Amino acid sequence: MGGFSLVHWIILGIVILLLFGGNRFSAMMGDVAKGLKSFKQGMSDDEKTPERPGARRLDQERPIDLTPEPPRAADPSSPPPANPDDNRA
């Protein structure tokens, strides 16, 4: 009931070819193919590039310590914070 049959897909393809034209549609698909090819080539180039001698990777370093630090003691030279309930004068 809600699906497209083969006839619907053929009519849709003909309408698309009429709108874009055969030459324009094939040129667009060629551009898409060139973009995919350059993307794949760029991804493979990233894997092949050697690292700089001074570069460090995170997985080779020691693990990051995420344990919380204990609260620090207040500085004895600073005055204590004001108490908002202390409005008596």
Side-chain angles (χ1 to χ4, degrees), residues 9-88:
W9 287 112
I10 291 173
I11 292 172
L12 183 66
I14 290 172
V15 169
I16 289 174
L17 281 176
L18 288 175
L19 288 176
F20 292 112
N23 190 23
R24 187 173 174 190
F25 186 73
S26 65
M28 283 191 312
M29 294 311 294
D31 291 341
V32 169
K34 286 179 187 176
L36 286 174
K37 183 178 179 181
S38 66
F39 176 74
K40 287 180 182 180
Q41 184 180 14
M43 292 300 289
S44 67
D45 287 347
D46 286 345
E47 293 174 1
K48 293 179 183 176
T49 54
E51 290 187 19
R52 296 182 311 223
R56 297 186 318 185
R57 295 184 55 131
L58 287 177
D59 58 349
Q60 294 175 349
E61 294 180 8
R62 62 180 173 82
I64 299 173
D65 184 22
L66 297 177
T67 56
E69 293 183 12
R72 296 182 181 174
D75 187 14
S77 62
S78 64
N83 190 354
D85 295 332
D86 210 12
N87 289 335
R88 291 179 262 151

